[in-house]
């Protein structure tokens, strides 16, 4: 058993060193793609706790990402004028604004949690779908907070006097700008979220969540407070989405309302199905697959058949990526129920 664990430990160590070294060798495109994947992985871990581990279908994950992203902008931003709109900002320290934005996303999930604790399956999915429509209406019309259709600029993250902006910082003869600096912040956020979720799944809460997913009546008979667990996991999932929203906003450097729509929620569901339901590794693998695919297709569209720039008559990279991971969802459901992680660790459940 120890012999089997040793190669895995070496693999984790090698992978960690590689991730830490990448900003010294990759250009801005690849670093931004990696940051998008990290943000997607954080959000996917959250919805996997809710849907994969607890069996609660949510179609409103994009709403909580928007709460995190715009919450950070409002809390950290200053009163200003953009695109003819007067924007409201509280001017809080950006690190505090990031923490509060995650907590606000959790509070929003808490307000919805009584419904989440009592509904299940398609009924909860339809109820959470309403959050998307409400969120889109607020994002487009609350112009003082969101900037309306044009969105608003994202304030720079600052921590202990260190700014994660495009101000050039030379490290080992390599110029570090916002993408390089945010890379390490994203790694810390992803590692903390993954380790916490893994601890939840491997402990008593995880066993209770799985019992609720597999047979809620039996779980209730065994003394598991089903409604309370469902509500608590919904809040936790919302906080993960809020953290992902903050990181996405920092990478994009501008929030746009139309991004946080129904398609984004469907993409998160595709992530956990493709990667593997109920596992942290599955969420990370699925998030990398779904978030990186459109960017890779866009990058190499000139060399790929049938794919061309939008409006030129062919299939755009975004459309092609949706076709491909839609096909991947069907293939996984039919032939690989455990997701892509089963190909890597066929003997593991977590």
């Amino acid at each position: 058993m120890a012999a089997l664990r040793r190669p895995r430990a070496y693999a984790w160590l090698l992978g960690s060193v590689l991730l830490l070294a990448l900003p010294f060798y990759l250009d801005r495109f690849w670093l931004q793609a990696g940051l998008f994947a990290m943000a997607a992985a954080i959000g996917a871990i959250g919805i996997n706790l809710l849907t994969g581990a607890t069996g609660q279908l949510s179609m409103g994950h994009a709403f909580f990402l928007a709460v995190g992203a715009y919450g950070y902008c409002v809390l950290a931003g200053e009163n200003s004028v953009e695109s003819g709109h007067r924007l409201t900002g509280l001017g809080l320290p950006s690190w505090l604004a990031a923490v509060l934005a995650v907590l606000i996303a959790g509070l929003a999930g808490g307000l919805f949690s009584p419904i989440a604790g009592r509904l299940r399956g398609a009924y909860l999915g339809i109820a959470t779908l309403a959050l998307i429509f409400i969120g889109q209406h607020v994002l487009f019309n609350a112009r003082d907070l969101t900037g309306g259709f044009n969105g608003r600029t994202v304030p720079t993250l600052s921590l202990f006097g260190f700014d994660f902006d495009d101000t050039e910082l030379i490290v080992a003869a390599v110029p570090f700008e916002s993408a390089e600096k945010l890379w390490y912040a994203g790694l810390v956020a992803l590692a903390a979220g993954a380790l916490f979720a893994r601890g939840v799944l491997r402990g008593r809460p995880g066993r209770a969540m799985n019992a609720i997913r597999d047979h809620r009546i039996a779980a209730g008979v065994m003394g598991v407070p089903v409604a309370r667990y469902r509500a608590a996991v919904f809040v936790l999932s919302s906080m993960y989405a809020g953290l992902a929203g903050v990181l996405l906003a920092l990478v994009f450097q501008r929030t746009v309302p139309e991004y946080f729509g129904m398609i984004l929620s469907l993409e998160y569901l595709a992530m956990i199905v493709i990667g593997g339901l109920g596992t942290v590794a599955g969420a990370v693998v699925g998030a990398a697959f779904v978030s990186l695919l459109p960017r890779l297709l866009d990058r190499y569209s000139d060399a790929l058949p049938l794919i061309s720039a939008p409006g030129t008559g062919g299939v755009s990279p975004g459309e092609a990526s949706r076709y491909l991971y839609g096909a991947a969802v069907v293939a996984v459901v039919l032939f690989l129920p455990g997701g892509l992680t089963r190909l890597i660790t066929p003997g593991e459940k977590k």
Side-chain angles (χ1 to χ4, degrees):
M1 197 69 178
L4 291 175
R5 289 177 180 173
R6 194 172 299 132
R8 186 174 300 167
Y10 291 150
W12 276 106
L13 179 61
L14 180 62
S16 301
V17 172
L18 178 63
L19 288 173
L20 291 173
L22 285 179
F24 291 92
Y25 300 98
L26 297 182
D27 61 25
R28 190 179 185 90
F29 169 82
W30 293 107
L31 291 176
Q32 286 186 334
L35 284 165
F36 285 129
M38 290 180 200
I42 293 170
I45 290 171
I47 197 171
N48 219 358
L49 290 173
L50 180 66
T51 301
T54 316
Q56 290 288 85
L57 177 63
S58 174
M59 297 288 291
H61 210 54
F63 171 81
F64 299 105
L65 270 90
V67 172
Y70 279 96
Y72 172 77
C73 291
V74 173
L75 292 170
E78 303 285 349
N79 292 325
S80 61
V81 177
E82 290 185 24
S83 302
H85 298 304
R86 183 174 297 276
L87 299 179
T88 301
L90 299 182
L92 297 178
S94 56
W95 66 268
L96 177 60
V99 173
L100 291 177
V102 175
L103 295 178
I104 290 173
L107 177 62
L111 294 176
F112 193 83
S113 62
I115 298 174
R118 287 165 174 78
L119 296 180
R120 62 189 179 93
Y123 297 102
L124 179 61
I126 294 170
T128 54
L129 188 61
L131 293 174
I132 296 294
F133 300 118
I134 295 172
Q136 288 289 289
H137 177 78
V138 172
L139 293 180
F140 279 109
N141 292 282
R143 294 182 178 87
D144 290 347
L145 297 177
T146 67
F149 181 83
N150 294 317
R152 64 182 294 168
T153 303
V154 179
T156 300
L157 177 65
S158 180
L159 184 63
F160 303 121
F162 181 81
D163 294 329
F164 293 79
D165 58 5
D166 282 324
T167 303
E168 195 172 273
L169 174 68
I170 305 300
V171 179
V174 176
F176 269 44
E177 296 182 346
S178 61
E180 288 83 1
K181 298 171 187 176
L182 284 173
W183 180 269
Y184 294 105
L187 281 180
V188 171
L190 176 57
L195 290 174
F196 181 81
R198 190 179 184 188
V200 169
L201 291 173
R202 292 195 168 189
R204 181 180 294 178
R207 292 191 293 271
M209 290 154 59
N210 290 337
I212 294 170
R213 176 196 63 196
D214 296 336
H215 204 300
R216 64 183 181 85
I217 297 176
V221 171
M222 290 188 295
V224 176
V226 175
R228 189 185 308 167
Y229 261 95
R230 283 177 171 172
V233 176
F234 195 89
V235 172
L236 181 60
S237 176
S238 303
M239 294 179 70
Y240 270 91
L243 179 58
V246 172
L247 184 56
L248 273 175
L250 291 170
V251 178
F252 272 125
Q253 298 183 351
R254 189 171 191 85
T255 53
V256 182
E258 64 181 10
Y259 177 77
F260 301 98
M262 190 186 307
I263 291 178
L264 183 61
S265 289
L266 294 175
E267 286 179 352
Y268 273 97
L269 291 175
M271 290 175 194
I272 61 175
V273 172
I274 293 172
L277 290 169
T279 67
V280 174
V284 175
V285 171
F289 180 88
V290 172
S291 63
L292 292 178
L293 187 59
R295 288 167 180 83
L296 293 176
L297 292 178
D298 184 57
R299 176 85 168 190
Y300 299 107
S301 59
D302 294 338
L304 296 172
L306 304 178
I307 298 177
S308 59
T312 58
V315 179
S316 68
E319 292 174 336
S321 64
R322 292 191 183 101
Y323 294 149
L324 289 174
Y325 62 67
V329 168
V330 175
V332 165
V333 170
L334 292 178
F335 306 111
L336 196 65
L340 294 179
T341 52
R342 283 295 178 90
L343 298 176
I344 304 172
T345 55
E348 287 194 358
K349 189 176 181 181
K350 292 281 184 292

